[in-house]
């Protein structure tokens, strides 16, 4: 499987030398109403220079799993099992000083809401400089300031030597997001986790930020995880895609595979419920019925079965009783799916595509 | 109402405590049933005239100096001379970046603001200067759906009293008949009518937005102003709400002014679209004119910036028109064309003269000196002669400004032909 115009071709999920290796990750939070299994049996890999896109609705566990990578869950209030290896180092169970060495250094995170993530009382430069000085104890304040200006310049903020002394509220939304990216990249991290980095932004600014992220990734050769619910962003950015539902991976594979030949009804639902700027106007907008399930009392069997419109195509009550394994489907070992359907490709082509892209079916 | 079935398991609010209520057995539909209830993109119906006509609408917010004497130092020109029509029972989309004045326009039409100038003709009656008392009977006809379903519902009121409040305020039905109407409305928007005595916090985001829609429908409005009705919702829920709005439009013949920044959603919902930039409409037209045949460089840049799922088949990023920098401040907008500071094709005339919103097709108007399809913009300003200037924008003694460039709502039978460079029928 090759993807054009990409700095590195996708290696799917079989890369043994991946920089980030997550295996059988489980995250559980105790609550007064019982334990919440926020993430279950999650495994994925991201190599250097590669981008993994994680898609899912709110509450599907996409942010929780990435926060676990940074060790941001309170050990007292959460149970994390499984393994997370960053550049060979195990993160699960690592002590706080060890984690602190990783955070902002080898791994850093860009948050969705830049106004909430930046401290309103401190100048942009001070916040950037602090991130630098924490990991460069020998650096002076002047070094930190010079580095801050350099990074602001690098992310495309005009007059960085003046803007470095501004407060966050003096920046526009797009500039704040740039400042956050600058802060995330100030220590040349090998892994960057971007949690909904462009959701609050206008399309034109979103395009600027995505261009910037891609340029910087090329320059620093870092591994990137981009968490979003916008499949368009995934299509343009990601090498691999992980679709999550109710805490589990339901489909995982190279971007082109997942978005062009999806094999799981939830992915079909996501594709059919977003309108497209170029689609023909005969295309229907088909919602996924119902709401995401509560993780306090997840549905039996496949967690998607109460909302799945293709349950009738699986013999018996298999969907409601047995949780399908995440296994390769009919399209080779790289494309994993968690579904009981025997002939997903056929159903997707004849039923789903016929409604959401009538012209595409006629052409084929 | 066709929508009820699709949301059967929507009836159990997910935020309620588990076990506190009987779980309704979710009824699973087949894909065909769900698909049959979904809608294709809305189509334009020209035969029915317009319900709302907005003529040269202006809203300036005063900017006051700090300190003891708060003297006025300027204006935020949030909306500056906007004209459009909303067809009866149809919908007009209003798109643009944040701060372009699209929400202000919506709030002007519902008269949450008093406009600085211009006319809002609702069924022929001007709303712009009416007092609150004169407005009250008219408010029944124009209602609003808000963006954030978490802040637009009072957490201390039950759903029944939220939806029933308009009936009480306008004294439409006797008090004892409010509840049946509330239950009817809950059913219309696909919620369980038994849930009228619950509080908003017991419902999920999508369900709350349905409550907001039910409240807006209570008084059988003729026009709904929907300000980003789906942008706060999850993708899978967005499609449910859009389909619901389309159901409502068909069944109750409501016109929509649909304000959103998501170009794809607007394209699906609205047969006609207006693109705004810094308080002005830069391009307006039917769906094909805007999405397949945009002539304004801003519309083209906006469209090229939308990430495209189909790109996955090719890989990499789509070629796009990069817009540098941010939107300038509306307190001190650029002279001439407001987009010129970020425009890839701006010339001298753009700084001197504001381009008129010129009709260039049957239902297509554009405000640009150099209108043309992407990469095919003309070298010389087509508007120079109409404005009575030479190509650089300096006054030309030999030319007289044309009378055919008035900023007015609606479309004419004749328009400026870009190939022939004259007014006439195509």
């Amino acid at each position: 499987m090759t993807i054009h115009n990409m700095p590195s071709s996708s290696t799917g999920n079989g890369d043994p030398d991946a920089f980030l290796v997550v295996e059988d990750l489980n995250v559980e939070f105790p609550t007064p109403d019982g334990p919440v299994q926020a993430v279950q049996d999650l495994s994925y890999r991201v190599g250097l220079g590669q981008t993994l896109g994680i898609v899912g609705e709110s509450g599907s566990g996409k942010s929780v799993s990435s926060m676990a990578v940074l060790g941001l869950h309170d050990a007292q209030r959460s149970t994390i099992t499984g393994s997370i290896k960053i550049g060979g180092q195990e993160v699960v169970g690592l002590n706080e000083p060890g984690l602190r060495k990783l955070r902002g250094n080898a791994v850093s995170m860009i948050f969705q809401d830049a106004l909430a993530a930046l401290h309103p009382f401190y100048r942009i430069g001070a916040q950037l400089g602090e991130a630098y000085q924490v990991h460069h104890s020998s650096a002076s304040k002047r070094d930190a300031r010079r580095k801050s200006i350099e990074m602001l310049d690098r992310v495309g903020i005009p007059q960085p030597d003046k803007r470095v002394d501004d407060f966050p509220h003096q920046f526009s939304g797009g500039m704040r997001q740039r400042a956050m990216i600058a802060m995330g990249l100030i220590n040349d991290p090998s892994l960057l986790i971007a949690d909904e980095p462009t959701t609050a932004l206008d399309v034109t600014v979103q395009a600027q930020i995505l261009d910037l992220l891609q340029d910087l990734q090329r320059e620093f050769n870092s591994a990137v995880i981009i968490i979003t619910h916008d499949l368009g962003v995934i299509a343009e950015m990601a090498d691999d895609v992980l679709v999550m539902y109710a805490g589990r991976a339901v489909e995982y594979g190279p971007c082109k595979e997942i978005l062009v030949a999806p094999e799981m009804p939830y992915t079909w639902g996501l594709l059919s419920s977003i309108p497209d700027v170029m689609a023909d106007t005969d295309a229907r907008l088909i919602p996924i019925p119902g709401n995401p399930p509560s993780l306090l009392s997840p549905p039996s069997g496949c967690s998607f079965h109460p909302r799945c419109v293709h349950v009738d195509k699986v013999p018996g009550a298999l969907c409601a009783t047995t949780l399908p394994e995440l296994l390769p489907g009919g399209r080779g070992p790289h494309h994993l799916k968690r579904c009981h359907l025997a002939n997903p490709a056929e159903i997707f082509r004849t039923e789903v595509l016929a409604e959401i892209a009538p012209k595409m079916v006629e052409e084929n | 109402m066709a929508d009820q079935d699709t949301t059967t398991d929507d009836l159990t609010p997910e935020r309620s405590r588990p076990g506190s209520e009987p779980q309704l057995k979710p009824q699973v539909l087949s894909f065909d049933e769900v698909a049959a209830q979904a809608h294709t993109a809305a189509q334009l119906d020209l035969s029915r005239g317009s319900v709302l006509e907005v003529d040269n609408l202006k809203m300036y917010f005063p900017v006051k100096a700090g300190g003891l004497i708060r003297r006025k130092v300027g204006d935020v020109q949030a909306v500056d001379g906007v004209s459009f029509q909303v067809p009866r029972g149809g919908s007009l989309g209003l798109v643009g970046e944040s701060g372009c004045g699209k929400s202000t326009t919506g709030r002007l039409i519902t008269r949450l603001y008093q406009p600085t100038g211009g006319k809002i003709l609702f069924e022929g009656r001007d709303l712009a200067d009416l007092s609150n008392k004169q407005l009250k009977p008219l408010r029944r006809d124009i209602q609003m759906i808000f963006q954030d379903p978490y802040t637009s519902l009072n957490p201390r009121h039950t759903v029944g009293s939220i939806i029933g409040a308009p009936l009480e305020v306008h004294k439409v039905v006797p008090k004892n008949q409010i509840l049946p109407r509330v239950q009817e409305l809950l059913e219309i928007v696909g919620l369980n009518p038994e849930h009228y005595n619950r509080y908003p916090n017991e419902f999920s985001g999508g369900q709350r937005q349905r409550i907001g829609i039910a409240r807006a429908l209570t008084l059988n409005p003729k026009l709904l102003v929907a300000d980003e009705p789906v942008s706060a919702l999850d993708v899978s829920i967005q499609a449910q709400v859009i389909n619901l709005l389309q159901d409502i439009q068909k069944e109750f013949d409501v016109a929509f002014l649909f304000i959103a920044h998501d170009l794809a959603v607007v394209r699906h919902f609205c047969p006609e679209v207006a693109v705004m930039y810094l308080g002005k409409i830069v391009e307006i037209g039917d769906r094909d004119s805007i999405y397949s045949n945009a002539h304004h460089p801003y519309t083209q840049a906006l469209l090229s910036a939308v990430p495209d799922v189909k790109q996955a088949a090719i890989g990499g990023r789509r070629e796009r028109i990069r817009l540098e920098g941010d939107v300038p401040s509306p307190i001190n907008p650029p002279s001439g064309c407001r987009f010129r500071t970020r425009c890839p094709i701006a010339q001298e005339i753009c700084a001197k003269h504001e381009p008129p919103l010129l009709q260039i097709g049957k239902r297509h108007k554009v405000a640009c000196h150099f209108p043309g399809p992407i990469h095919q913009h003309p070298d010389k300003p087509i508007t120079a002669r109409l404005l009575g200037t030479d190509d650089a924008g300096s006054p030309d003694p030999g030319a007289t400004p044309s009378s055919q460039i008035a900023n007015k709502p609606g479309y004419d039978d004749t328009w400026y032909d870009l190939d022939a460079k004259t007014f006439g029928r195509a």
Side-chain angles (χ1 to χ4, degrees):
Chain A
M1 190 88 260
T2 53
I3 287 178
H4 308 288
N5 307 339
M6 281 283 168
S8 57
S9 69
S10 171
T11 52
N13 28 48
D15 182 6
D17 305 320
F19 182 74
L20 172 70
V21 182
V22 174
E23 255 162 20
D24 301 324
L25 180 69
N26 285 280
V27 182
E28 188 186 296
F29 301 112
T31 72
D33 296 323
V36 167
Q37 287 279 349
V39 177
Q40 288 178 62
D41 302 326
L42 186 68
S43 304
Y44 60 80
R45 287 152 190 273
V46 195
L48 287 176
Q50 289 218 330
T51 306
L52 172 75
I54 305 185
V55 222
E57 288 172 275
S58 26
S60 63
K62 51 194 199 309
S63 293
V64 170
S65 60
S66 321
M67 282 167 76
V69 172
L70 277 164
L72 289 176
H73 295 300
D74 186 347
Q76 311 277 304
R77 293 174 188 276
S78 59
T79 319
I80 300 176
T81 58
S83 148
I84 301 170
K85 284 204 174 84
I86 298 173
Q89 189 184 7
E90 180 63 49
V91 175
V92 176
L94 192 66
N95 57 11
E96 197 57 24
L99 282 170
R100 213 172 285 144
K101 258 188 210 130
L102 280 175
R103 283 183 206 139
N105 201 8
V107 191
S108 67
M109 192 153 177
I110 300 170
F111 297 91
Q112 174 179 2
D113 187 350
L115 190 59
L118 292 169
H119 198 294
F121 285 1
Y122 292 96
R123 294 174 197 280
I124 294 281
Q127 299 186 49
L128 259 75
E130 186 190 4
Y132 184 71
Q133 277 186 303
V134 163
H135 294 289
H136 296 81
S137 44
S138 60
S140 68
K141 274 216 167 126
R142 189 183 296 165
D143 293 338
R145 186 182 160 84
R146 206 183 51 238
K147 184 75 182 167
S148 308
I149 295 173
E150 183 193 320
M151 283 315 292
L152 287 179
D153 188 35
R154 187 65 204 80
V155 296
I157 291 197
Q159 297 177 303
D161 49 331
K162 294 203 176 67
R163 300 311 293 255
V164 73
D165 291 324
D166 277 0
F167 288 100
H169 74 264
Q170 291 169 294
F171 276 31
S172 71
M175 282 163 70
R176 273 182 224 132
Q177 202 65 40
R178 283 162 193 273
M180 284 257 298
I181 293 175
M183 197 190 295
L185 293 175
I186 202 160
N187 293 314
D188 300 345
S190 309
L191 173 64
L192 185 67
I193 301 173
D195 189 353
E196 307 256 8
T198 58
T199 307
L201 303 174
D202 283 316
V203 274
T204 48
V205 184
Q206 165 171 293
Q208 292 172 1
I209 298 287
L210 294 181
D211 283 341
L212 173 68
L213 271 176
Q214 233 169 21
D215 290 348
L216 293 171
Q217 179 183 26
R218 238 166 259 173
E219 188 176 328
F220 295 108
N221 194 34
S222 37
V224 174
I225 296 180
I226 183 158
I227 302 171
T228 176
H229 61 258
D230 188 337
L231 288 172
V233 171
I234 292 284
E236 300 205 350
M237 297 289 289
D239 300 310
D240 288 345
V241 182
L242 176 70
V243 184
M244 287 190 74
Y245 187 77
R248 285 194 179 89
V250 293
E251 197 159 9
Y252 180 34
C255 181
K256 188 175 174 181
E257 272 289 303
I258 301 286
L259 293 185
V260 176
E263 295 196 304
M264 160 80 198
Y266 179 63
T267 318
W268 301 344
L270 286 180
L271 283 169
S272 70
S273 59
I274 47 164
D276 190 70
V277 268
M278 298 299 159
D280 49 299
T281 46
D282 295 336
R284 288 178 194 275
L285 194 62
I286 305 167
I288 305 175
N291 282 309
S294 159
L295 291 177
L296 279 168
S297 50
S300 60
C302 170
S303 7
F304 186 58
H305 88 264
R307 300 175 75 190
C308 183
V309 288
H310 300 280
V311 171
D312 53 337
K313 294 173 188 100
V314 175
L318 204 57
C319 292
T321 53
T322 319
L323 174 72
E325 292 293 317
L326 188 66
L327 291 172
R331 298 187 57 91
H334 287 328
H335 187 154
L336 307 177
K337 53 137 189 172
R338 196 186 280 280
C339 184
H340 288 302
L341 282 176
N343 54 346
E346 177 69 17
I347 298 172
F348 181 66
R349 202 171 56 78
T350 58
E351 290 193 28
V352 184
L353 270 185
E355 293 291 354
I356 65 168
K359 279 185 188 145
M360 214 189 262
V361 178
E362 281 163 31
E363 279 164 21
N364 293 340
Chain B
M1 215 50 223
D3 193 66
Q4 288 162 33
D5 293 347
T6 48
T7 55
T8 312
D9 60 343
D10 215 339
L11 302 181
T12 317
E14 56 162 11
R15 271 152 215 275
S16 61
R17 281 160 186 267
S20 68
E21 64 182 82
Q23 290 275 321
L24 282 167
K25 174 92 185 78
Q27 178 192 350
V28 176
L29 298 170
S30 78
F31 179 74
D32 297 335
E33 287 172 276
V34 173
Q37 288 164 6
H39 289 282
T40 57
Q43 294 305 321
L44 187 63
D45 180 8
L46 289 178
S47 60
R48 304 190 49 214
S50 63
V51 66
L52 177 80
E53 210 171 281
V54 170
D55 192 354
N56 208 13
L57 190 63
K58 285 183 181 151
M59 182 74 221
Y60 293 176
F61 295 101
V63 181
K64 298 204 168 135
L68 208 56
I69 307 162
R70 297 180 59 79
R71 131 191 98 74
K72 192 179 140 186
V73 289
D75 281 310
V76 174
Q77 303 175 9
V79 176
D80 193 11
V82 162
S83 304
F84 58 81
Q85 287 178 329
V86 180
R88 190 176 297 278
S91 34
L92 175 78
L94 216 50
V95 295
E97 289 174 278
S98 44
C100 73
K102 54 190 196 303
S103 290
T104 308
T105 308
R107 283 164 179 254
L108 283 168
I109 286 157
T110 44
R111 272 299 311 275
L112 295 174
Y113 296 139
Q114 166 90 43
T116 314
K119 287 195 189 118
I120 306 166
L121 294 166
F122 179 73
E123 303 204 301
R125 190 159 173 205
D126 189 4
L127 306 184
D129 294 318
L130 295 185
S131 67
N132 273 337
K133 204 172 166 191
Q134 289 170 307
L135 262 175
K136 195 179 164 189
L138 288 167
R139 292 216 191 264
R140 291 175 61 170
D141 292 332
I142 306 178
Q143 292 283 321
M144 190 154 181
I145 300 170
F146 295 91
Q147 170 174 13
D148 186 350
Y150 291 87
T151 55
S152 61
L153 301 176
N154 190 330
R156 287 172 177 266
H157 288 193
T158 61
V159 167
S161 70
I162 289 171
I163 299 175
L167 293 171
E168 243 174 275
V169 170
H170 288 272
K171 302 193 179 67
V172 187
V173 294
K175 276 217 165 111
N176 58 1
Q177 282 170 36
I178 288 180
L179 184 60
R181 172 71 178 147
V182 165
Q183 294 189 318
E184 185 194 336
L185 284 161
L186 281 172
E187 213 167 317
I188 289 170
V189 296
L191 295 171
N192 189 336
E194 306 295 308
H195 290 174
Y196 67 90
N197 56 355
R198 296 195 175 191
Y199 288 90
N201 69 319
E202 296 176 64
F203 294 87
S204 70
Q207 290 170 325
R208 284 177 196 221
Q209 197 57 298
R210 287 170 192 267
I211 295 168
I213 294 168
R215 172 176 62 184
L217 281 178
T218 309
L219 297 168
N220 287 324
K222 295 187 179 117
L223 174 69
L224 272 176
V225 176
D227 191 356
E228 304 266 12
V230 296
S231 60
L233 307 174
D234 256 326
V235 225
S236 71
I237 310 295
Q238 278 192 7
Q240 292 177 2
V241 172
I242 292 168
N243 275 308
L244 171 66
L245 291 176
Q246 282 183 302
D247 280 335
I248 286 168
Q249 179 162 40
K250 279 212 179 104
E251 184 151 338
F252 300 100
D253 196 34
V254 202
F256 275 87
L257 179 67
F258 194 92
I259 301 166
H261 68 273
D262 185 333
L263 290 146
V265 168
V266 170
R267 180 175 184 273
H268 183 84
F269 195 84
C270 305
E272 283 196 291
V273 183
V275 183
M276 284 186 74
Y277 185 80
L278 265 186
K280 288 196 183 284
I281 290 180
V282 294
E283 191 160 12
I284 181 168
D286 54 20
R287 186 186 284 129
D288 282 344
S289 306
I290 299 291
Y291 287 90
S292 321
N293 193 23
H295 274 57
H296 197 285
Y298 178 64
T299 315
Q300 290 160 356
L302 212 54
L303 284 170
S304 82
V306 180
D308 187 4
V309 177
K310 296 206 174 70
Q311 193 65 24
I314 308 152
R317 302 289 302 277
R318 211 148 42 106
E319 193 197 339
R320 70 186 73 246
I321 306 166
R322 284 196 191 208
L323 287 185
E324 298 300 331
D326 289 311
V327 184
S329 157
I331 299 176
N332 186 15
S335 65
C337 174
R338 294 185 170 194
F339 182 57
R340 72 177 163 84
T341 50
R342 299 169 80 194
C343 182
I345 57 164
Q347 291 186 19
E348 216 179 330
I349 186 171
C350 300
K352 290 180 181 157
H353 291 279
E354 189 187 317
L357 191 60
L358 190 66
Q359 187 170 348
I360 56 159
K362 192 155 183 281
R363 296 188 77 78
H364 190 187
K365 287 179 168 185
V366 62
C368 181
H369 292 297
F370 305 93
I374 204 158
H375 299 315
Q376 294 172 40
H377 293 275
D379 305 324
K380 295 204 156 114
I382 60 134
T383 49
R385 254 183 46 220
L386 303 173
L387 291 166
T389 64
D390 61 15
D391 287 351
S394 315
D396 184 349
T400 42
S402 169
S403 59
Q404 284 182 289
I405 52 173
N407 177 18
K408 59 178 198 269
Y411 300 92
D412 285 329
D413 292 335
T414 56
W415 60 84
Y416 189 83
D417 190 274
L418 285 179
D419 299 320
K421 299 207 187 327
T422 51
F423 280 96
R425 274 183 106 98

